[in-house]
Amino acid sequence: MPVKVTRYRCKYCNRQYESHKAAKDCESGHLIPVSVKAELYTVAAYPYKVEVTFDSGERRIYNAEDLGG
């Protein structure tokens, strides 16, 4: 006879857990972007360097490899 298996999934990274608490703990460990600021452009319409500010106040710079960043 088949056995019912309940799994819980983090809504940010989709990792699955056997307990609700473990999935909630995973969700609370992810930083949420609250703003994005374009830093540098090439001749393309898109910025190749952006600064992302997270809900923790931390800021990170990200570069688009396909645009030369």
Side-chain angles (χ1 to χ4, degrees):
M1 169 172 269
V3 176
K4 180 179 179 180
V5 177
T6 301
R7 306 285 286 169
Y8 299 89
R9 185 178 58 198
C10 172
K11 67 182 175 183
Y12 299 112
C13 68
N14 292 323
R15 185 172 177 188
Q16 292 188 19
Y17 296 91
E18 293 183 13
S19 74
H20 183 267
K21 181 185 180 324
K24 290 299 280 183
D25 289 347
C26 184
E27 287 179 351
S28 67
H30 292 282
L31 297 175
I32 307 301
V34 294
S35 70
V36 177
K37 178 178 133 187
E39 291 287 323
L40 292 172
Y41 285 85
T42 63
V43 293
Y46 301 100
Y48 73 88
K49 183 177 182 181
V50 295
E51 179 185 75
V52 179
T53 304
F54 295 93
D55 58 350
S56 66
E58 182 179 352
R59 294 180 179 164
R60 291 284 178 111
I61 300 290
Y62 292 91
N63 295 302
E65 292 178 1
D66 62 329
L67 295 176

